[in-house]
Short mmCIF file of all heavy atoms in Angstrom, two decimals:
data_model
loop_
_atom_site.label_atom_id
_atom_site.label_comp_id
_atom_site.label_asym_id
_atom_site.label_seq_id
_atom_site.Cartn_x
_atom_site.Cartn_y
_atom_site.Cartn_z
N SER Y 1 88.54 82.39 107.92
CA SER Y 1 89.02 81.39 108.77
C SER Y 1 88.08 80.10 108.73
O SER Y 1 88.50 78.91 108.78
CB SER Y 1 89.14 81.73 110.14
OG SER Y 1 89.74 80.69 111.02
N ALA Y 2 86.70 80.29 108.55
CA ALA Y 2 85.78 79.31 108.56
C ALA Y 2 86.00 78.44 107.21
O ALA Y 2 85.79 77.21 107.11
CB ALA Y 2 84.32 79.86 108.55
N LEU Y 3 86.37 79.14 106.20
CA LEU Y 3 86.54 78.33 104.97
C LEU Y 3 87.88 77.47 105.01
O LEU Y 3 87.76 76.27 104.70
CB LEU Y 3 86.86 79.41 103.78
CG LEU Y 3 87.04 78.86 102.39
CD1 LEU Y 3 86.66 79.76 101.39
CD2 LEU Y 3 88.57 78.65 102.11
N PHE Y 4 88.96 78.07 105.53
CA PHE Y 4 90.19 77.15 105.74
C PHE Y 4 89.95 76.08 106.81
O PHE Y 4 90.49 75.08 106.60
CB PHE Y 4 91.33 78.13 106.09
CG PHE Y 4 91.91 78.83 104.91
CD1 PHE Y 4 91.80 80.19 104.71
CD2 PHE Y 4 92.59 78.08 103.88
CE1 PHE Y 4 92.24 80.84 103.65
CE2 PHE Y 4 93.12 78.76 102.79
CZ PHE Y 4 93.03 80.19 102.72
N MET Y 5 89.08 76.32 107.77
CA MET Y 5 88.84 75.29 108.74
C MET Y 5 88.08 74.21 108.04
O MET Y 5 88.39 72.97 108.29
CB MET Y 5 88.04 75.86 110.02
CG MET Y 5 88.86 76.63 110.93
SD MET Y 5 87.73 77.48 112.20
CE MET Y 5 87.01 76.11 113.00
N ALA Y 6 87.18 74.54 107.23
CA ALA Y 6 86.49 73.42 106.41
C ALA Y 6 87.45 72.64 105.42
O ALA Y 6 87.26 71.51 105.50
CB ALA Y 6 85.24 74.04 105.69
N LEU Y 7 88.30 73.41 104.98
CA LEU Y 7 89.33 72.71 104.02
C LEU Y 7 90.27 71.71 104.82
O LEU Y 7 90.50 70.58 104.51
CB LEU Y 7 90.18 73.70 103.40
CG LEU Y 7 89.51 74.68 102.39
CD1 LEU Y 7 90.43 75.71 101.87
CD2 LEU Y 7 89.16 73.80 101.16
N VAL Y 8 90.69 72.14 106.08
CA VAL Y 8 91.41 71.36 106.95
C VAL Y 8 90.64 70.08 107.38
O VAL Y 8 91.09 68.93 107.45
CB VAL Y 8 91.98 72.15 108.15
CG1 VAL Y 8 92.60 71.15 109.17
CG2 VAL Y 8 92.92 73.14 107.72
N LYS Y 9 89.31 70.28 107.86
CA LYS Y 9 88.49 69.29 108.26
C LYS Y 9 88.19 68.18 107.24
O LYS Y 9 88.19 67.01 107.56
CB LYS Y 9 87.12 69.86 108.71
CG LYS Y 9 86.21 68.86 109.30
CD LYS Y 9 84.93 69.58 109.72
CE LYS Y 9 83.88 68.58 110.37
NZ LYS Y 9 82.59 69.22 110.80
N ASN Y 10 88.19 68.66 105.90
CA ASN Y 10 88.03 67.59 104.83
C ASN Y 10 89.25 67.10 104.31
O ASN Y 10 89.14 66.35 103.22
CB ASN Y 10 87.24 68.33 103.73
CG ASN Y 10 85.67 68.44 104.01
OD1 ASN Y 10 84.81 67.68 103.83
ND2 ASN Y 10 85.32 69.66 104.71
N GLY Y 11 90.44 67.37 104.94
CA GLY Y 11 91.73 66.78 104.50
C GLY Y 11 92.23 67.24 103.37
O GLY Y 11 93.20 66.83 102.67
N ILE Y 12 91.83 68.56 102.85
CA ILE Y 12 92.28 69.17 101.68
C ILE Y 12 93.71 70.02 102.04
O ILE Y 12 94.54 69.99 101.14
CB ILE Y 12 91.22 70.16 101.09
CG1 ILE Y 12 90.00 69.25 100.61
CG2 ILE Y 12 91.77 70.89 99.91
CD1 ILE Y 12 88.83 70.07 100.38
N LEU Y 13 93.70 70.59 103.26
CA LEU Y 13 94.88 71.26 103.62
C LEU Y 13 95.17 70.72 104.98
O LEU Y 13 94.48 70.28 105.75
CB LEU Y 13 94.52 72.82 103.74
CG LEU Y 13 94.39 73.59 102.34
CD1 LEU Y 13 94.04 75.06 102.80
CD2 LEU Y 13 95.67 73.51 101.59
N LEU Y 14 96.54 70.99 105.38
CA LEU Y 14 97.02 70.42 106.68
C LEU Y 14 96.83 71.40 107.76
O LEU Y 14 96.66 71.05 108.94
CB LEU Y 14 98.55 70.07 106.54
CG LEU Y 14 98.78 68.88 105.72
CD1 LEU Y 14 100.27 68.65 105.62
CD2 LEU Y 14 98.15 67.58 106.07
N GLN Y 15 96.79 72.72 107.48
CA GLN Y 15 96.60 73.71 108.41
C GLN Y 15 96.04 75.00 107.91
O GLN Y 15 95.91 75.25 106.75
CB GLN Y 15 97.97 74.16 109.04
CG GLN Y 15 98.97 74.80 107.92
CD GLN Y 15 100.31 75.15 108.52
OE1 GLN Y 15 100.50 74.98 109.81
NE2 GLN Y 15 101.12 75.75 107.73
N ASN Y 16 95.44 75.78 108.95
CA ASN Y 16 94.64 76.93 108.58
C ASN Y 16 95.58 78.15 108.58
O ASN Y 16 96.05 78.55 109.70
CB ASN Y 16 93.42 77.15 109.56
CG ASN Y 16 92.67 78.41 109.42
OD1 ASN Y 16 92.99 79.17 108.50
ND2 ASN Y 16 91.62 78.55 110.18
N PRO Y 17 95.94 78.83 107.45
CA PRO Y 17 96.90 79.84 107.48
C PRO Y 17 96.40 81.15 108.27
O PRO Y 17 97.16 82.04 108.65
CB PRO Y 17 96.98 80.32 106.08
CG PRO Y 17 95.82 79.89 105.37
CD PRO Y 17 95.38 78.58 106.20
N VAL Y 18 95.00 81.27 108.54
CA VAL Y 18 94.46 82.34 109.23
C VAL Y 18 94.84 82.36 110.59
O VAL Y 18 95.06 83.40 111.33
CB VAL Y 18 92.90 82.48 109.05
CG1 VAL Y 18 92.39 83.73 109.81
CG2 VAL Y 18 92.57 82.55 107.52
N VAL Y 19 95.08 81.17 111.22
CA VAL Y 19 95.31 81.05 112.65
C VAL Y 19 96.59 81.70 113.04
O VAL Y 19 96.62 82.44 114.15
CB VAL Y 19 95.51 79.47 113.08
CG1 VAL Y 19 95.99 79.31 114.49
CG2 VAL Y 19 94.20 78.71 112.88
N ASN Y 20 97.70 81.68 112.23
CA ASN Y 20 99.02 82.25 112.53
C ASN Y 20 99.12 83.67 112.00
O ASN Y 20 100.23 84.29 112.16
CB ASN Y 20 100.15 81.40 112.15
CG ASN Y 20 100.12 80.11 112.91
OD1 ASN Y 20 99.81 80.07 114.23
ND2 ASN Y 20 100.41 78.99 112.32
N ALA Y 21 98.14 84.15 111.36
CA ALA Y 21 98.14 85.54 110.88
C ALA Y 21 97.91 86.57 111.89
O ALA Y 21 97.39 86.28 112.89
CB ALA Y 21 97.20 85.67 109.63
N ILE Y 22 98.35 87.84 111.77
CA ILE Y 22 98.17 88.82 112.71
C ILE Y 22 96.82 89.45 112.31
O ILE Y 22 96.67 89.92 111.27
CB ILE Y 22 99.33 89.91 112.62
CG1 ILE Y 22 100.65 89.25 113.01
CG2 ILE Y 22 99.09 91.01 113.59
CD1 ILE Y 22 101.94 90.14 112.72
N LYS Y 23 96.04 89.41 113.24
CA LYS Y 23 94.68 90.02 113.02
C LYS Y 23 94.50 91.36 113.67
O LYS Y 23 95.23 91.72 114.61
CB LYS Y 23 93.62 88.98 113.71
CG LYS Y 23 93.70 87.59 113.11
CD LYS Y 23 93.35 86.54 114.11
CE LYS Y 23 93.48 85.15 113.54
NZ LYS Y 23 94.93 84.77 113.78
N PRO Y 24 93.49 92.15 113.15
CA PRO Y 24 93.33 93.54 113.61
C PRO Y 24 92.84 93.45 115.10
O PRO Y 24 92.10 92.67 115.39
CB PRO Y 24 92.27 94.07 112.73
CG PRO Y 24 91.49 92.90 112.23
CD PRO Y 24 92.66 91.83 112.05
N ARG Y 25 93.39 94.45 115.86
CA ARG Y 25 92.99 94.45 117.24
C ARG Y 25 91.83 95.37 117.32
O ARG Y 25 91.64 96.47 116.87
CB ARG Y 25 94.10 95.11 118.03
CG ARG Y 25 93.91 95.24 119.47
CD ARG Y 25 95.01 95.91 120.38
NE ARG Y 25 94.74 95.96 121.70
CZ ARG Y 25 95.53 96.56 122.50
NH1 ARG Y 25 96.75 96.93 122.20
NH2 ARG Y 25 95.28 96.62 123.85
N ILE Y 26 90.83 94.85 118.14
CA ILE Y 26 89.53 95.53 118.32
C ILE Y 26 89.54 95.95 119.80
O ILE Y 26 89.57 95.14 120.71
CB ILE Y 26 88.43 94.61 118.03
CG1 ILE Y 26 88.41 94.10 116.53
CG2 ILE Y 26 87.14 95.31 118.24
CD1 ILE Y 26 87.32 93.17 116.22
#
């Protein structure tokens, strides 16, 4: 997610695909 957030912040992508993914429950 940190990688995709950096991509969004630098205008390379419009959204972070990890945000809407289903994550493992801890």
